[in-house]
Amino acid sequence: MTLTIRLIGTAATSRYLVDRAPKGYPNKGDVVRETSTLRNAVAQFARPKGAIVGRDVWITTIVIPHSAKPT
């Protein structure tokens, strides 16, 4: 059996849990928590298209330095 779920994710928040210098800029060793809001792309889950049906949360650890420099 195959079930297809169609969702649209919209970025909601991004917050540093560990922020190494320079602060506020992605660097090796930084840890960032990010969330997004999930909405129905089609009517499903007994909810209309566009209804908020969940949230996605993930944590990212930067393991290689960013190639650009802050200004």
Side-chain angles (χ1 to χ4, degrees):
M1 180 176 143
T2 300
L3 175 66
T4 301
I5 298 173
R6 298 176 192 268
L7 301 171
I8 298 170
T10 305
T13 64
S14 181
R15 177 172 73 95
Y16 282 95
L17 300 176
V18 175
D19 190 9
R20 302 192 188 285
K23 302 288 185 186
Y25 183 78
N27 298 289
K28 183 177 181 179
D30 284 355
V31 179
V32 183
R33 180 183 187 268
E34 300 178 82
T35 65
S36 62
T37 301
L38 301 175
R39 296 178 182 271
N40 274 341
V42 297
Q44 59 190 349
F45 309 123
R47 311 278 309 270
K49 177 180 177 179
I52 295 174
V53 293
R55 187 178 355 179
D56 187 18
V57 179
W58 65 97
I59 296 176
T60 304
T61 301
I62 299 172
V63 295
I64 53 176
H66 195 274
S67 60
K69 298 293 180 197
T71 57

